[in-house]
Amino acid sequence: MRQAEYPTRISVLYALPAMAAAVPTIPAYVLLPSYYGDDLGLGLAITGVVLLLVRMIDMLTDPVVGWLSDKTGNRKIWTGAGAVIAGIGLWYLFSPPSQPSAIYLLIWASVLFLGWTMFQVPYLAWGADLSGDYKKRTTLTALREGAGLIGIVLAGAIPVLINAPDRAAEIQTLATVTLTLGAVFVALLVWKVPDPVAQHKRTSRASFGRGNLWATLRLGARSLRDNGLFMRLLAAWMINGLAAGLPAVCFPLFVRYYLELDQDSENILILLYFAAAIIAIPLWVVMAGRIGKHRVWCFAMVMAIVAFAFVPILDAGDFAAFAVICLVTGAALGADLALPPAIQADVDDWDRYRFGVRRTGLLFALWNMTNKLAMALAAGIAFPILGAFGLTDGGDEKTGALVVLVLIYAVIPIVLKAGAIGMMWRFPLDSTHQVAIRRRLSRRND
């Protein structure tokens, strides 16, 4: 298939919905558990069990949605429908009655995460479909992830700007902002951004998600084992995701118990972290175009390792020193977000050339599942261990717990990132190979 090249405004319109989708991310993952469990009186134990069940179901829907997206060959339908469903779930979940039941939480959290998956998986695959150019894919992914980071910063700024009187007003305002931005940006996405797969399916001989779901998954499992590039990238993505997830879930605990800083300092540090990621993304894009995406990603991981190496020497009250670490690791986060999905899009080209079937949606579904698994493992590993060492218990003697906190926050991520670098440094799919693959796909009208 000779792929059309779209103007920059199409890339921007494609990226904008990521901003709306990112606004409720921190509230949904961080604020809602304590809001339902504590503020609304549902109970922490019941809330935790319900949300764990929802997340398990959520992970199972990824390959189903990915397969259906490939089978129908239409990203617009799934992305638009997912946005509507997620919007309905978001409103009811963020505007609960004064005494919600566990069933209420289960239903509307399930609706939200189902819609989120229906939106996110085809949306990621759509980005890979829009351009086959090695450099433009990086730019497109960077725009999307940069927009998502702006959404996260916006979510942090809104409660401060509106001076919300309580948690309920804060969460409802975030829901309103999300739905307003989402309605505009998703409408522009569906209206203005081309869907190359849907257009190509009408004239192509290529196979789109052939067979039923179970047969596709069984065939896919065998062929994915033969796709060493995908498995290698997915493993590195999983390991680095865990390396990023551990500091993320431990960040508030590290600031509060190790550095002994207040809430205002924590908010400033979070803002610095995400602002550095946004600012650094254009630099990573330029470097990737010159020396290759996988090498630049490795450089960013090395930079994060160097920054984490200074964490053990911090003392209580070291705000300035830790702010520098947040700036460096935040800049590295920009590469983590912008480059691996662009590499995955190139790997999808190889997968389509090698196995003769377009399954971009399914591959990005597995990508999405891996990311969710990494974050779930981060919380599942860190919190029980820190709880066992009594980090949050009363009392003055917490030396052992603080040592463990540093190990989880910085030392283990250093080891994990080193492993991911070892996997990716000699990754064989560079710009030269990708251009050759795209040329062969074009001659094959795939």
Side-chain angles (χ1 to χ4, degrees):
M1 173 179 66
R2 185 174 295 278
Q3 192 157 6
E5 293 300 335
Y6 303 107
T8 302
R9 65 180 179 84
I10 294 297
S11 299
V12 173
L13 291 176
Y14 166 76
L16 284 175
M19 184 191 303
V23 171
T25 300
I26 291 180
Y29 285 96
V30 178
L31 301 181
L32 278 181
S34 61
Y35 180 55
Y36 271 82
D38 189 15
D39 298 348
L40 297 178
L42 185 58
L44 292 177
I46 294 176
T47 302
V49 170
V50 170
L51 292 179
L52 177 61
L53 177 61
V54 170
R55 296 317 305 267
M56 291 175 63
I57 297 172
D58 179 41
M59 289 183 63
L60 295 176
T61 61
D62 282 270
V64 177
V65 171
W67 174 77
L68 287 171
S69 173
D70 289 334
K71 184 73 173 177
T72 59
N74 194 314
R75 311 296 187 202
K76 284 191 177 185
I77 291 177
W78 287 96
T79 301
V84 171
I85 293 172
I88 294 171
L90 179 73
W91 179 254
Y92 280 98
L93 191 63
F94 280 39
S95 304
S98 58
Q99 293 182 323
S101 65
I103 297 298
Y104 182 95
L105 176 60
L106 175 65
I107 290 174
W108 293 115
S110 298
V111 171
L112 172 61
F113 285 112
L114 173 62
W116 220 329
T117 298
M118 289 175 60
F119 167 82
Q120 191 173 38
V121 171
Y123 180 61
L124 292 173
W126 195 348
D129 298 332
L130 275 174
S131 178
D133 183 81
Y134 184 83
K135 294 181 180 180
K136 289 184 178 179
R137 274 182 170 166
T138 308
T139 302
L140 191 67
T141 303
L143 284 171
R144 182 185 67 216
E145 301 303 328
L149 287 171
I150 292 173
I152 291 175
V153 172
L154 181 62
I158 286 174
V160 177
L161 294 175
I162 67 171
N163 193 22
D166 53 29
R167 180 59 55 81
E170 175 184 333
I171 289 178
Q172 288 175 3
T173 301
L174 289 171
T176 301
V177 171
T178 300
L179 294 176
T180 303
L181 293 177
V184 175
F185 292 158
V186 174
L188 288 172
L189 173 75
V190 173
W191 179 30
K192 291 291 188 180
V193 179
D195 187 349
V197 171
Q199 297 170 359
H200 183 51
K201 185 179 180 182
R202 293 191 289 268
T203 58
S204 174
R205 300 189 303 269
S207 175
F208 290 76
R210 60 194 172 201
N212 59 49
L213 174 60
W214 179 242
T216 299
L217 291 178
R218 284 192 290 113
L219 175 64
R222 290 196 300 269
S223 60
L224 287 176
R225 286 196 300 267
D226 296 333
N227 188 341
L229 292 180
F230 177 73
M231 298 305 294
R232 183 170 168 180
L233 176 61
L234 194 67
W237 172 249
M238 171 70 184
I239 292 172
N240 187 65
L242 184 56
L246 288 171
V249 299
C250 292
F251 183 87
L253 300 175
F254 186 82
V255 172
R256 185 180 310 152
Y257 292 103
Y258 190 90
L259 297 178
E260 299 178 4
L261 299 174
D262 58 19
Q263 184 66 46
D264 290 339
S265 298
E266 180 181 330
N267 292 337
I268 293 172
L269 291 167
I270 291 174
L271 181 61
L272 289 175
Y273 179 74
F274 287 113
I278 295 171
I279 293 171
I281 283 179
L283 174 63
W284 298 128
V285 171
V286 172
M287 291 178 61
R290 294 180 178 178
I291 62 177
K293 302 170 193 176
H294 64 287
R295 288 287 172 85
V296 175
W297 186 26
C298 289
F299 288 146
M301 288 190 281
V302 169
M303 191 170 74
I305 287 174
V306 172
F308 278 128
F310 287 93
V311 168
I313 66 175
L314 295 175
D315 292 319
D318 280 347
F319 174 85
F322 189 60
V324 174
I325 292 174
C326 288
L327 287 171
V328 175
T329 55
L333 173 69
D336 285 341
L337 294 175
L339 301 182
I343 301 172
Q344 161 70 352
D346 297 335
V347 171
D348 173 64
D349 288 338
W350 161 248
D351 184 83
R352 184 151 30 106
Y353 172 72
R354 170 67 176 78
F355 299 102
V357 58
R358 184 188 291 268
R359 49 182 183 179
T360 311
L362 181 59
L363 293 182
F364 272 99
L366 297 174
W367 185 262
N368 213 37
M369 282 182 64
T370 302
N371 189 46
K372 292 176 181 178
L373 179 60
M375 292 303 297
L377 286 176
I381 291 171
F383 288 167
I385 294 176
L386 293 173
F389 278 86
L391 178 67
T392 60
D393 296 344
D396 297 328
E397 186 56 43
K398 295 182 179 179
T399 303
L402 293 178
V403 170
V404 173
L405 178 60
V406 170
L407 287 173
I408 295 175
Y409 181 83
V411 178
I412 294 177
I414 287 175
V415 176
L416 292 172
K417 282 183 175 290
I421 292 170
M423 291 181 178
M424 292 303 300
W425 182 253
R426 296 185 180 276
F427 195 71
L429 185 54
D430 57 16
S431 60
T432 302
H433 294 94
Q434 192 269 343
V435 168
I437 292 169
R438 292 295 307 184
R439 188 179 298 116
R440 292 170 184 171
L441 287 172
S442 179
R443 287 200 297 264
R444 203 169 67 185
N445 191 30
D446 194 4

